[in-house]
Amino acid sequence: MSFAPGNSVNGAKLFKTRCAQCHTVEAGGANKVGPNLHGIFGRKSGMAAGYSYTEANKNKGVTWTEQAMFEYLENPKKYIPGTKMAFNGFKKESERNDVITYLKENC
């Protein structure tokens, strides 16, 4: 399984219903329960300014690429044991592709 570009319109809908309660995407957006995601791609895990991450996130050392995000969003707690992210993940590859495509266009 690997990332493939998806449908950003569907990704926006999925983000709004399953992610936006905890995350923002705009530049300078607020951290909520989860960190602001603007600039996530190319950034190391646990490094968004002003957000209090778990040691697990800080120590994971992953650089967020489309593929890393694809793997993470399937099951965040399995990918980073000890994360405080409560979301169970997107089990469907197409949904992960759509959300990542949306994030790439908006972050």
Side-chain angles (χ1 to χ4, degrees), residues 1-100:
M1 295 188 301
S2 61
F3 171 74
N7 180 318
S8 65
V9 172
N10 190 46
K13 291 174 188 172
L14 289 165
F15 186 89
K16 183 178 179 182
T17 60
R18 301 189 53 198
C19 311
Q21 59 270 34
C22 296
H23 295 283
T24 58
V25 296
E26 64 277 356
N31 291 320
K32 296 166 100 176
V33 172
N36 171 273
L37 299 177
H38 190 80
I40 187 95
F41 294 99
R43 186 169 67 209
K44 290 239 185 247
S45 61
M47 298 294 167
Y51 185 76
S52 177
Y53 286 95
T54 62
E55 288 302 311
N57 279 81
K58 292 178 196 174
N59 295 332
K60 179 68 175 180
V62 66
T63 298
W64 293 116
T65 63
E66 293 93 335
Q67 184 59 37
M69 188 67 69
F70 182 83
E71 294 167 10
Y72 175 71
L73 288 176
E74 182 178 16
N75 187 338
K77 289 181 186 284
K78 182 178 177 184
Y79 192 82
I80 302 179
T83 186
K84 62 184 172 183
M85 185 161 157
F87 181 61
N88 287 328
F90 291 103
K91 303 309 177 208
K92 293 180 182 176
E93 290 181 37
S94 62
E95 289 182 345
R96 294 196 307 275
N97 288 330
D98 292 349
V99 168
I100 294 165

